[in-house]
Amino acid sequence: MDVNEFRKRGKEVIDAIADYYEAVNDIPPMSTVSPGYLYKLLPHEAPETPESFDAIQKDLQTKIMPGMTHWQSGNFFSWFPSNSSFPAILGDMYSSMFDVVGFNWLCSPAATELETVVMDWLGKLIGLDRRFLSFKEDGTEGNGGGVIQGSASEAHIVAMIAAREMALERLKSQGGISSEDADKQRHKLVAYFSDQTHSSGQKAANVIGCKTTTVPTGDDFRLTKQALEQAIAKDKEQGLIPFFVCGTFGTTNTTAIDDLPGIADVAQKESLWYHVDAAYAGSALTCPEFRPLAAGSERADSFNFNPHKWMLTNFDCSALWVADSTHLVNALSIHREYYPKVEGDTAFVKDYRNWQLPLGRRFRSLKLWFVMRMYGAEGIRKHIRDDVTQAKWLANQLVADGRFELIVPVVFGLAVFRIKPEALSDPSKVNQANTALIKAINDDGRVFLVGTKLNGNDVLRAAVGSTFGTQKNVDLLLEILKEHATKVIADLE
Ligand code: PLP
């Protein structure tokens, strides 16, 4: 493909993308294909000779499109949203254009410096404590800073690696022991999660090879200070070494907010690394009215949220800040001669390869820069507030219907609910009713949502948050929920 053909085809692709987005709101979000459908449709060898763009374009429409789940459809209410937006797509196109591997400043000065700048912008936009920013009030460099990771799961691993480094340093200094002897204690390190912490916490622990203790939550699904203290005391009696705790701001199941100030107290007393996982709900902190809910997170060691979930930025863009980067950089920096040292004043230059697992990194700050400039704080806040209003409206309508109950109050964009036992002639069939309801809705295919299990109960989750969705989509969801609830309840009579 030469540049002239690229120019022509590129315009066609933009048109195809624009056509897709013009219709996306009303697309049934679920694919109806069966597992293995694509393997049967595609050749089993890569082509020997070049194929035409038209042939690929045709296959995209006829073979790929049927197997797509349309996350950008306004009728997609599953998991959490994965927002795309036109500014982010355009920013990402420029990132593809440059295609730099920006692992250090020399690799592309702008890629490194823009990331530092936009991560400070973003930190300020969500009211993050100043400790997490790269630059202090007076413009001098601080110890903290932000870095864009691919996912909250990577952020969890990176934070835990820094935590381990901090713990081993502490063992050495407090115990007056050698690095080797401190290293021998690694197997005693324990990370703390609640039974509602996202699976990425356990995965991070599996990756770094530490023990974990899962602390039970109560009816409000929050990790409390007391429960954490009890778990730690028990582990210490066994000779284990607590080193890391995750507090969640907006859990996956219910958007519960852990006792963040209480966890901060415990973390301080026990010298734990305190990671706040705000993967989904962190975007709400762009709106000042949500910030009191995150009190306590200002005392964390690391804070993470995903603009790629609910802040209009295409996947992947997970924002991680650390209050003090020393342990992280010590743990991850490895020198080789092929990473030449940058000359000049490098006070404000971050070596981002030492802030993440891979070496290479995409120019992801570009899309975030486009989003923050083209929406402005105002536009981002409007997106969040509209979604919260719609989710609360849905919840109110469900309660008003009389056959549904909320499992928790709606705080952000997620409604968690079920057909209530009293709506059934045999209340013991409540789980059966709710699993049948999820299945009926997804078999119907006009909207897509997933359920979860809480305290042994099957419940439904509807996450409102699509960039392009409107109240009309939520109206449709409500209509479908009511329609299928009637059938499910009748079937169980
Ligand atoms: N943490 C929470 C609270 C989440 O809800 C999720 C995903 O939904 C994650 C972490 C993992 O996010 P990622 O896909 O960016 O790893």
Side-chain angles (χ1 to χ4, degrees):
M1 184 179 275
D2 64 17
V3 74
N4 289 328
E5 168 132 25
F6 174 71
R7 201 182 290 283
K8 176 172 175 286
R9 297 309 194 171
K11 286 173 183 156
E12 282 174 29
V13 170
I14 290 287
D15 276 340
I17 294 173
D19 289 347
Y20 176 80
Y21 274 101
E22 262 179 350
V24 80
N25 242 6
D26 301 319
I27 300 183
M30 289 182 80
S31 162
T32 53
V33 299
S34 304
Y37 91 99
L38 194 56
Y39 187 78
K40 292 178 196 137
L41 290 178
L42 295 184
H44 295 168
E45 306 280 343
E48 192 60 38
T49 53
E51 293 188 353
S52 73
F53 179 80
D54 284 330
I56 303 170
Q57 182 92 320
K58 186 164 161 255
D59 280 352
L60 191 113
Q61 291 304 330
T62 57
K63 296 176 180 161
I64 302 296
M65 202 57 109
M68 290 308 299
T69 300
H70 299 283
W71 282 68
Q72 304 312 320
S73 164
N75 296 327
F76 180 99
F77 297 99
S78 290
W79 300 294
F80 282 134
S82 174
N83 285 174
S84 76
S85 72
F86 296 131
I89 293 174
L90 295 178
D92 230 7
M93 284 170 67
Y94 278 117
S95 171
S96 290
M97 175 182 88
F98 293 121
D99 198 28
V100 296
V101 185
F103 55 80
N104 71 8
W105 188 87
L106 204 58
C107 291
S108 192
T112 291
E113 296 201 13
L114 185 66
E115 185 154 333
T116 309
V117 171
V118 297
M119 287 301 288
D120 267 18
W121 282 17
L122 187 60
K124 288 179 189 170
L125 186 61
I126 62 165
L128 213 56
D129 193 81
R130 191 105 220 170
R131 292 184 311 132
F132 291 106
L133 305 185
S134 290
F135 300 112
K136 296 188 203 157
E137 207 97 50
D138 62 6
T140 58
E141 192 199 18
N143 284 338
V147 55
I148 302 177
Q149 306 281 327
S151 67
S153 306
E154 278 170 69
H156 228 135
I157 297 171
V158 164
M160 210 178 277
I161 289 170
R164 180 177 63 189
E165 183 76 10
M166 183 175 90
L168 295 178
E169 282 300 318
R170 179 165 51 90
L171 285 176
K172 273 194 286 179
S173 62
Q174 284 177 356
I177 56 176
S178 66
S179 296
E180 289 74 37
D181 286 341
D183 232 31
K184 285 184 196 142
Q185 309 282 315
R186 275 180 185 225
H187 68 284
K188 294 185 185 163
L189 295 175
V190 194
Y192 292 83
F193 306 114
S194 87
D195 56 17
Q196 298 297 311
T197 304
H198 186 263
S199 59
S200 55
Q202 183 62 52
K203 188 180 264 190
N206 292 356
V207 170
I208 80 152
C210 68
K211 293 189 172 14
T212 58
T213 292
T214 303
V215 185
T217 58
D219 286 344
D220 56 4
F221 309 109
R222 302 173 70 224
L223 174 60
T224 63
K225 177 178 179 178
Q226 199 195 17
L228 178 62
E229 280 174 335
Q230 279 172 7
I232 289 177
K234 220 164 135 198
D235 285 346
K236 280 167 71 174
E237 275 169 27
Q238 309 294 314
L240 299 176
I241 305 170
F243 84 110
F244 177 97
V245 61
C246 173
T248 305
F249 178 72
T251 58
T252 315
N253 270 335
T254 64
T255 70
I257 300 167
D258 289 340
D259 174 10
L260 301 179
I263 300 172
D265 291 343
V266 180
Q268 193 172 346
K269 181 164 159 262
E270 302 288 344
S271 306
L272 311 182
W273 181 283
Y274 180 16
H275 177 66
V276 173
D277 174 4
Y280 161 69
S283 296
L285 299 174
T286 53
C287 306
E289 65 271 26
F290 287 101
R291 293 190 194 147
L293 300 177
S297 61
E298 72 284 355
R299 291 159 66 196
D301 294 288
S302 48
F303 183 98
N304 171 235
F305 94 98
N306 284 351
H308 70 224
K309 276 190 163 53
W310 198 18
M311 212 197 86
L312 302 162
T313 310
N314 284 52
F315 193 83
D316 53 348
C317 183
S318 184
L320 171 70
W321 289 269
V322 287
D324 180 353
S325 61
T326 314
H327 298 296
L328 177 59
V329 170
N330 283 350
L332 294 181
S333 62
I334 296 169
H335 181 67
R336 292 288 183 269
E337 299 313 318
Y338 37 77
Y339 307 135
K341 252 191 114 36
V342 178
E343 303 289 326
D345 177 7
T346 54
F348 299 123
V349 174
K350 296 204 186 312
D351 222 348
Y352 280 123
R353 76 191 161 99
N354 299 329
W355 291 58
Q356 63 170 19
L357 297 180
L359 172 73
R361 54 203 327 274
R362 300 200 311 117
F363 194 176
R364 287 182 288 222
S365 55
L366 258 186
K367 60 186 167 190
L368 201 48
W369 193 48
F370 272 60
V371 166
M372 284 196 274
R373 292 185 66 180
M374 293 187 73
Y375 279 93
E378 265 177 30
I380 295 169
R381 289 184 187 128
K382 180 174 179 335
H383 165 64
I384 299 289
R385 287 176 181 146
D386 285 354
D387 293 341
V388 175
T389 304
Q390 287 168 16
K392 287 190 170 168
W393 178 87
L394 174 69
N396 289 339
Q397 294 299 313
L398 289 169
V399 172
D401 173 272
R403 295 172 298 172
F404 297 93
E405 66 181 4
L406 296 183
I407 307 300
V408 289
V410 173
V411 179
F412 303 108
L414 180 75
V416 189
F417 56 93
R418 64 172 181 169
I419 295 177
K420 59 186 183 189
E422 303 82 59
L424 302 166
S425 53
D426 180 354
S428 73
K429 291 189 176 159
V430 66
N431 275 351
Q432 206 179 324
N434 284 290
T435 39
L437 181 59
I438 296 166
K439 183 169 178 334
I441 289 168
N442 292 338
D443 285 350
D444 173 310
R446 284 176 289 167
V447 298
F448 178 26
L449 48 76
V450 293
T452 189
K453 225 177 175 84
L454 291 166
N455 293 335
N457 296 321
D458 289 294
V459 302
L460 288 83
R461 291 169 79 264
V464 179
S466 157
T467 310
F468 303 94
T470 66
Q471 176 67 37
K472 255 178 64 188
N473 300 98
V474 186
D475 290 347
L476 178 68
L477 171 64
L478 178 66
E479 183 190 313
I480 293 172
L481 279 165
K482 287 183 173 184
E483 184 185 316
H484 285 290
T486 303
K487 285 190 208 146
V488 162
I489 292 170
D491 285 351
L492 287 175
E493 284 304 313

